């Protein structure tokens, strides 16, 4: 039952956000490599998470002075879908954001009777171009992923690029889905309630009501979004003004009888493509409130009260292949040079699309029988049914070992488990190579087509490891027909050899990765799980020492968690007098292979660099930072004597002032806040002197370290009443603010805002508890972080 205000004057808004990033993991290690175009972030997942996904989950509503009035979870009001591969990454790498998404679905379910979350087929293939069994698998994997995460069955599904045809609709109906979201240009004609057929001709399908699509084995509802309004939001900068957005939404209600306006956009428009777009949306949500005539709802909730009365027929698209929202030719953009492209230069073409798809189609046709035969040799279950079950592993909802236990009988061997998982991984990558982004942009040399070629090559490698079936050979030959627009890039086979095929055997690189983790004592050491690799231990023996050099040998053991294959490699290496090891040699069969440290994943090399530099920095911080009080006293004495301080002493003072605050913060993290007094006094003195002496401290690192302290204490105060700790926290923040430092503001503001919500929603007796902070002290904390708590105060009063 719908929980929103039942008022015949209500007008309902559905704004749908399609949140998606293509899978970016290295198919050999499960790690995402550094992407230079995403700078200053490591990769595009991290950049867009910061700019959009995290921002939408905790979006700021500001007052006229720029202070925070409210922090809103936009997902609680947006209809939304997240790509399953993106959710898998968010769950691991951005758990706070992931939880906000899950919480929003639960909150909207409580408010509306139906959750805002919508399912998506798995890795964003163009379903009408998939083989029927692959389209079915993509939908089944997407539904299983949704149920596993949101704890309920999906009611609707977002189709990648809104791409649909009759075959796809039949699968959706078979799976019990209630609705799909489509572009208004995908509708061809309407069958009215009187039975008359009305052609839409060149007009968009109405977006103010749902329509039924009838098929031989059932029906499904179609919601068409308002194309003009969606375009203005996505490309017309409507998200730069709350007033402008509201005016546009109200204007879309063309008549008094219009009850519904629906909009569908890429979710990344809210904060990434349109900076602060999330704040425009949250400002509108906040402004409308619960009593407005405009009410946010979702498709399932609206459908409950307003079932479709008319039927719609969809356009068949070119050659009857189907239609989409971003290709005026139907689905040509993902199979041929149809004229639709993004990012190309003058004179470029997309003739590469067709031979690329042909190469992948040919690979799949040849590889499918191989993995299916591998499965049939191990179990009586059908290969397709086993692959459907494997979707839980791909989503991270089940481990490889758990999956093997559900498929094979109790007497299976280790080799049986490996063979089953190798077959599944090969089949998985045969799906991943069709991810739509590989055809969307202007040239085959882009990161998206290269990633798809990596998946294709990995699938061929897994299913034909000895090369006896010729999968890699034929894939390479077919890619010769794929030509880049950039002459120096050459053909698809050139790109395969230059950018896809590993220069060093992946198994050896993985072993070297665990060696360097072991050598430099990195977190988790050599037993850590690293992408799809699990360390099993590294032995180390000293062979010889010579002029400061140390010669080592030993063995490295690890497991590939995706296939449960175990590896053990002997190694030998030399470590110089500075404890640096630039290369390791690994025994592969009867040959030693050199693996240089520069070949390691960027994230590991950065971690090693940080570790090595941190050691020297730590020594400097302890030796110089601990002398900061003495250095300040020396300066005071020399100044009183009216004598020059001296260049060497000035350098010593600057270094002491630089390292002093970081050393103090490090000590504060280990102390109880009640014992901070001396540290805070010295911190205040140091920060004050830096201006006086013109010393530029490392403000970024100070703010980051201080922010972690503030956030941890704020989270503690959510659960515990402690007036003394709150007082110290306020004192600490006051000192930082006085000296122009703002510790990790968004992160800390979220924690303190949650504290405000929690404390002001308790009953009045909290103020009388022993040692409990009073509300005025919590308000002081809010003001220090630029949070305007007037709504909490007014609500309490």
């Amino acid at each position: 039952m719908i929980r929103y205000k039942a008022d015949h004057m209500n007008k309902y808004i559905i704004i749908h956000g399609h949140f998606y990033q293509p899978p970016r993991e290295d198919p050999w290690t499960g790690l995402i490599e550094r992407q230079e175009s995403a700078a200053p972030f490591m990769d595009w997942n991290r950049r867009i998470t910061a700019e959009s996904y995290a921002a939408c989950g905790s979006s700021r509503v500001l007052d006229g002075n720029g202070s925070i009035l409210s922090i809103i979870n936009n997902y609680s009001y947006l209809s939304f879908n997240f790509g399953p591969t993106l959710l898998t990454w968010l769950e691991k790498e951005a758990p706070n954001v992931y939880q906000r998404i899950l919480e929003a679905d639960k909150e909207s379910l409580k408010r509306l009777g139906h959750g805002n979350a919508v399912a998506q087929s798995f890795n964003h293939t163009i379903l009408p171009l998939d083989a029927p069994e692959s389209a079915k698998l993509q939908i089944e994997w997407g539904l299983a992923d949704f149920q596993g995460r949101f704890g309920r069955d999906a009611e609707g599904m977002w189709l990648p690029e809104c791409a649909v045809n009759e075959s796809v609709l039949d699968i959706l109906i078979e799976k019990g889905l209630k609705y799909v979201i489509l572009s208004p240009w995908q509708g061809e004609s309407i069958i009215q309630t009187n039975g008359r057929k009305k052609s839409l001709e060149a007009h968009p399908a109405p977006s103010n009501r749902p329509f039924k699509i009838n098929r031989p084995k059932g029906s499904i509802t179609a919601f068409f979004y308002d194309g003009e309004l969606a375009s203005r939001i996505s490309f017309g900068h409507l998200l730069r003004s709350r007033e402008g957005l509201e005016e546009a939404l109200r204007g879309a209600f063309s008549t008094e009888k219009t009850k519904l306006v629906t909009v569908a956009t890429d979710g990344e428009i809210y904060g990434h493509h349109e900076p602060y777009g999330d704040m425009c949306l949250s400002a509108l949500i906040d402004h409308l409130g619960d009593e407005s005539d405009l009410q946010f709802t979702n498709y399932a909730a609206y459908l409950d009260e307003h079932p479709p009365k008319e039927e719609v027929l969809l356009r068949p698209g070119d050659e009857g292949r189907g239609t989409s929202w971003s290709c005026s030719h139907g689905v040509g953009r993902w199979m041929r040079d149809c004229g639709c492209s993004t990012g190309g230069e003058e004179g470029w073409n997309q003739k590469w699309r067709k031979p690329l798809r042909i190469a992948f189609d040919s690979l799949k046709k040849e590889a499918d029988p191989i993995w299916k035969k591998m499965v049939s040799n191990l179990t009586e279950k059908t290969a397709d049914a086993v692959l459907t079950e494997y979707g839980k592993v791909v989503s991270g909802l089940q481990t490889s070992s758990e999956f093997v236990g559900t498929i094979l009988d109790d007497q299976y061997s280790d080799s049986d488990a490996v063979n089953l998982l190798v077959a599944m991984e090969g089949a998985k990558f045969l799906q991943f190579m069709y991810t739509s982004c590989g055809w969307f942009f202007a040239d085959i040399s882009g990161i998206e087509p290269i990633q798809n070629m990596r998946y294709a090559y990995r699938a061929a490698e897994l299913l034909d490891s000895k090369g006896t079936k010729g999968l890699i050979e034929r894939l390479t030959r077919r890619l010769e027909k794929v030509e880049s627009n950039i002459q120096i890039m050459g053909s698809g086979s050139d790109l395969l050899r230059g950018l896809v095929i590993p220069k060093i055997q992946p198994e050896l690189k993985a072993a070297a990765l665990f060696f360097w983790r072991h050598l430099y004592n990195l977190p988790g050491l050599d037993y850590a799980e690293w992408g799809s690799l699990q360390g099993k231990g590294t032995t180390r023996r000293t062979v010889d020492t010579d002029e400061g050099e140390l010669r080592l040998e030993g063995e490295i053991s690890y497991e590939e968690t995706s296939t449960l294959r175990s590896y053990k490699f002997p190694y030998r290496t030399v470590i110089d007098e500075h404890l640096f090891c630039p290369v390791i040699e690994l025994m592969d069969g009867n040959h030693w292979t050199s693996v240089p440290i520069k070949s390691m994943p960027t994230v590991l090399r950065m971690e090693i660099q940080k570790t090595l530099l941190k050691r020297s920095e730590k020594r400097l911080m302890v030796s110089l930072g601990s002398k900061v009080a003495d250095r300040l006293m020396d300066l005071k004495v020399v100044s009183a004597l009216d004598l020059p301080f001296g260049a060497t002493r000035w350098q010593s003072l600057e270094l002491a002032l630089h390292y002093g605050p970081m050393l103090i913060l490090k000590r504060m993290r280990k102390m109880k806040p009640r014992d901070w007094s001396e540290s805070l006094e010295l911190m205040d003195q140091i920060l004050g002197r830096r201006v006086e002496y013109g010393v530029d401290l490392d403000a970024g690192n100070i703010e980051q370290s201080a922010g972690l302290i503030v956030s941890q204490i704020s989270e503690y105060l959510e659960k515990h009443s402690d007036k003394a700790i709150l007082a110290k926290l306020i004192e600490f923040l006051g000192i930082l603010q006085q000296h122009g430092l703002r510790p990790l503001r968004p992160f800390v503001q979220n924690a303190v805002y949650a504290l405000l919500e929690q404390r002001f929603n308790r009953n009045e007796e909290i103020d009388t508890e022993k040692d409990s902070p009073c509300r005025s002290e919590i308000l002081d904390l809010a003001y220090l972080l630029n949070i305007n708590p007037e709504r909490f105060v007014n609500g309490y009063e």
Side-chain angles (χ1 to χ4, degrees):
M1 179 178 178
I2 295 178
R3 312 295 170 83
Y4 46 58
K5 184 175 62 176
D7 188 329
H8 70 281
M9 296 300 292
N10 277 358
K11 297 176 180 179
Y12 299 107
I13 306 167
I14 301 175
I15 298 180
H16 183 83
H18 166 49
F19 296 88
Y20 167 73
Q21 293 299 306
R24 294 190 165 98
E25 287 78 8
D26 181 313
W28 286 275
T29 66
L31 300 172
I32 298 179
E33 257 296 357
R34 186 181 185 90
Q35 295 174 310
E36 297 295 340
S37 58
F41 294 86
M42 275 286 294
D43 54 67
W44 279 104
N45 278 10
R46 296 182 190 281
R47 176 171 172 176
I48 298 177
T49 295
E51 295 173 349
S52 179
Y53 309 142
C56 275
S58 301
S59 188
R60 273 76 171 136
V61 178
L62 306 181
D63 64 14
N65 297 316
S67 297
I68 297 172
L69 271 175
S70 181
I71 296 180
I72 290 178
N73 187 343
N74 284 349
Y75 301 120
S76 296
Y77 298 88
L78 280 173
S79 168
F80 64 85
N81 74 278
F82 271 82
T85 56
L86 175 58
L87 284 177
T88 299
W89 183 89
L90 287 170
E91 182 179 16
K92 183 177 181 180
E93 301 294 338
N96 291 336
V97 177
Y98 180 75
Q99 287 302 318
R100 295 290 278 179
I101 294 166
L102 300 188
E103 289 165 5
D105 185 66
K106 290 183 174 64
E107 192 281 327
S108 56
L109 179 64
K110 181 179 179 180
R111 188 177 82 251
L112 301 172
H114 297 268
N116 282 348
V118 176
Q120 180 201 292
S121 60
F122 198 79
N123 64 277
H124 215 272
T125 65
I126 301 302
L127 295 175
L129 295 179
D130 286 341
E133 65 271 15
S134 291
K136 183 178 180 182
L137 178 71
Q138 286 282 330
I139 290 168
E140 289 172 335
W141 276 6
L143 293 176
D145 182 271
F146 185 93
Q147 205 286 330
R149 296 184 191 283
F150 294 97
R152 62 179 180 86
D153 291 335
E155 298 182 90
M157 174 165 276
W158 176 266
L159 306 177
E161 301 290 340
C162 295
V164 69
N165 63 4
E166 291 180 346
S167 176
V168 172
L169 289 172
D170 289 343
I171 299 171
L172 298 175
I173 291 169
E174 176 192 340
K175 296 301 174 184
L177 289 159
K178 297 179 181 178
Y179 65 87
V180 291
I181 306 157
L182 299 176
S183 156
W185 305 107
Q186 291 176 270
E188 182 178 62
S189 57
I190 293 172
I191 300 178
Q192 300 172 316
T193 53
N194 58 13
R196 291 181 179 177
K197 182 178 179 180
K198 179 182 178 181
S199 174
L200 291 170
E201 298 178 349
H203 300 288
S207 59
N208 60 357
R209 58 191 185 274
F211 294 89
K212 181 183 292 186
I213 301 176
N214 287 322
R215 296 291 302 149
K217 294 186 178 180
S219 64
I220 192 169
T221 296
F223 284 92
F224 297 99
Y225 63 82
D226 186 320
E228 179 184 356
L229 183 55
S231 179
R232 292 176 65 194
I233 290 174
S234 298
F235 309 109
H237 303 303
L238 269 184
L239 294 177
R240 294 184 179 181
S241 162
R242 188 271 298 169
E243 293 82 1
L245 179 59
E246 181 180 356
E247 182 181 357
L249 287 169
R250 289 188 179 279
F253 289 92
S254 56
T255 68
E256 289 187 2
K257 293 183 179 180
T258 301
K259 295 294 184 183
L260 175 68
V261 166
T262 64
V263 177
T265 61
D266 281 331
E268 292 75 23
I269 192 68
Y270 305 103
H272 172 59
H273 297 303
E274 186 70 77
Y276 308 110
D278 66 287
M279 293 175 64
C280 179
L281 180 61
S282 60
L284 177 64
I285 293 168
D286 183 73
H287 173 72
L288 294 178
D290 296 330
E291 302 302 320
S292 172
D293 60 327
L294 291 185
Q295 293 287 311
F296 284 92
T297 187
N298 61 47
Y299 296 105
Y302 190 85
L303 189 59
D304 244 6
E305 295 289 316
H306 305 87
K309 298 178 181 179
E310 301 167 289
E311 182 183 350
V312 68
L313 302 177
L314 300 183
R315 299 182 189 276
D318 287 0
E319 302 178 0
R321 292 180 182 273
T323 57
S324 67
W325 76 342
S326 59
C327 178
S328 59
H329 311 91
V331 291
R333 183 169 196 152
W334 300 276
M335 60 176 288
R336 62 184 176 86
D337 186 10
C338 69
C340 296
S341 67
T342 297
E345 297 185 12
E346 186 176 352
W348 283 19
N349 63 66
Q350 283 71 53
K351 293 179 181 179
W352 54 269
R353 288 176 178 162
K354 184 176 180 179
L356 180 65
R357 183 166 284 275
I358 289 174
F360 288 175
D361 286 346
S362 299
L363 172 63
K364 190 171 188 303
K365 184 178 180 180
E366 295 167 352
D368 274 347
I370 297 174
W371 71 260
K372 289 184 178 183
K373 178 66 174 176
M374 293 171 69
V375 173
S376 66
N377 288 338
L378 296 168
T379 176
E380 294 181 356
K381 298 178 181 179
T382 67
D384 288 336
V386 173
L387 185 57
T388 298
E389 284 295 308
Y390 192 64
K392 296 176 184 177
V393 179
V394 183
S395 291
L397 303 173
Q398 188 180 58
T399 67
S400 297
S401 297
E402 290 169 342
F403 167 76
V404 169
T406 64
I407 302 300
L408 302 183
D409 60 39
D410 295 338
Q411 305 302 315
Y412 72 86
S413 65
D414 290 346
S415 62
D416 289 339
V418 168
N419 288 335
L420 175 64
L421 292 171
V422 167
M424 292 295 96
E425 282 292 284
K428 177 189 79 174
F429 288 124
L430 290 173
Q431 294 293 323
F432 275 39
M433 70 184 181
Y434 286 109
T435 302
S436 69
C437 306
W439 285 267
F440 189 84
F441 298 100
D443 193 68
I444 191 177
S445 62
I447 59 176
E448 296 85 3
I450 295 298
Q451 184 72 1
N452 282 12
M453 282 193 279
R454 297 176 87 196
Y455 292 139
Y457 182 86
R458 179 60 169 155
E461 181 188 63
L462 282 164
L463 299 176
D464 186 16
S465 59
K466 296 181 180 179
T468 56
K469 300 178 178 67
L471 294 185
I472 292 175
E473 179 185 350
R474 288 192 293 276
L475 173 65
T476 304
R477 188 169 62 246
R478 288 166 183 142
L479 288 175
E480 289 176 357
K481 299 177 181 180
V482 186
E483 296 183 1
S484 170
N485 288 287
I486 304 171
Q487 188 173 3
I488 195 174
M489 292 296 181
S491 68
S493 59
D494 293 326
L495 292 167
L496 189 76
R497 285 187 287 265
L499 299 177
V500 173
I501 299 176
K503 301 296 186 294
I504 300 173
Q505 186 179 336
E507 292 81 8
L508 297 179
K509 283 186 66 174
L513 183 151
F514 285 108
F515 166 77
W516 271 297
R517 292 193 66 83
H518 170 83
L519 178 64
Y520 292 116
N521 202 33
L522 299 180
L525 300 176
D526 48 330
Y527 288 92
E529 184 174 346
W530 193 255
S532 58
L533 306 170
Q534 175 72 57
K536 295 297 182 181
T538 300
T539 64
R540 184 168 66 182
R541 297 181 294 275
T542 301
V543 178
D544 191 17
T545 57
D546 182 20
E547 296 182 357
E549 290 186 339
L550 186 64
R551 297 183 183 277
L552 300 179
E553 65 178 28
E555 289 183 330
I556 303 163
S557 302
Y558 71 92
E559 181 181 79
E560 194 176 67
T561 57
S562 56
T563 65
L564 299 183
R565 290 190 291 198
S566 296
Y567 297 92
K568 181 180 288 187
F569 291 100
Y571 75 87
R572 65 188 184 191
T573 191
V574 177
I575 301 175
D576 67 21
E577 66 272 19
H578 301 293
L579 299 181
F580 185 63
C581 176
V583 66
I584 180 177
E585 289 185 288
L586 292 153
M587 175 68 80
D588 180 24
N590 297 318
H591 304 282
W592 287 101
T593 300
S594 295
V595 180
I597 196 170
K598 64 182 180 182
S599 70
M600 289 293 97
T602 304
V603 64
L604 176 66
R605 287 184 282 121
M606 292 179 68
E607 200 169 348
I608 291 172
Q609 174 181 280
K610 181 180 177 182
T611 299
L612 292 176
L613 296 181
K614 188 176 181 180
R615 291 175 181 173
S616 58
E617 285 283 310
K618 182 178 180 180
R619 288 192 293 266
L620 287 170
M621 182 171 67
V622 172
S623 62
L624 295 171
S626 61
K627 304 295 184 183
V628 65
D630 294 337
R631 294 285 78 195
L632 289 172
M633 179 56 68
D634 292 344
L635 179 61
K636 182 178 180 180
V637 170
V638 172
S639 297
L641 295 173
D642 194 23
L643 293 171
F645 195 52
T648 302
R649 291 193 182 94
W650 271 114
Q651 291 172 354
S652 174
L653 173 63
E654 289 178 354
L655 288 171
L657 289 173
H658 175 82
Y659 287 111
M662 294 303 298
L663 183 62
I664 293 170
L665 291 171
K666 182 179 180 180
R667 290 172 177 170
M668 286 174 61
R669 285 198 297 271
K670 299 178 181 179
M671 298 164 58
K672 295 180 179 179
R674 293 180 179 85
D675 301 326
W676 280 359
S677 296
E678 185 177 338
S679 296
L680 292 179
E681 183 180 348
L682 183 56
M683 176 72 79
D684 188 23
Q685 185 181 6
I686 294 171
L687 295 176
R689 296 293 187 184
R690 70 169 182 160
V691 177
E692 181 179 347
Y693 303 139
V695 177
D696 185 16
L697 299 182
D698 189 357
N701 278 332
I702 294 174
E703 289 178 335
Q704 184 178 28
S705 295
L708 294 174
I709 295 174
V710 175
S711 181
Q712 288 169 1
I713 295 177
S714 298
E715 291 175 2
Y716 172 83
L717 289 171
E718 282 185 57
K719 302 180 180 69
H720 305 87
S721 297
D722 196 313
K723 188 171 185 177
I725 289 179
L726 179 59
K728 285 299 177 185
L729 180 59
I730 292 172
E731 183 182 354
F732 179 37
L733 278 170
I735 290 171
L736 295 174
Q737 180 171 295
Q738 177 186 344
H739 298 290
L741 296 174
R742 300 181 173 187
L744 280 177
R745 286 174 69 81
F747 186 62
V748 173
Q749 286 166 338
N750 291 348
V752 173
Y753 190 85
L755 174 61
L756 273 170
E757 288 185 310
Q758 195 264 356
R759 290 294 171 158
F760 276 79
N761 287 334
R762 281 193 180 186
N763 76 44
E764 193 171 348
E765 292 180 0
I766 190 172
D767 285 342
T768 64
E769 295 177 14
K770 183 181 179 181
D771 297 327
S772 174
C774 64
R775 285 181 166 83
S776 63
E777 291 171 312
I778 299 175
L779 297 179
D780 288 342
L781 177 61
Y783 286 122
L784 283 170
L785 289 167
N786 201 37
I787 298 172
N788 180 348
E790 66 178 37
R791 293 181 178 177
F792 293 99
V793 175
N794 294 337
Y796 175 63
E797 293 175 348

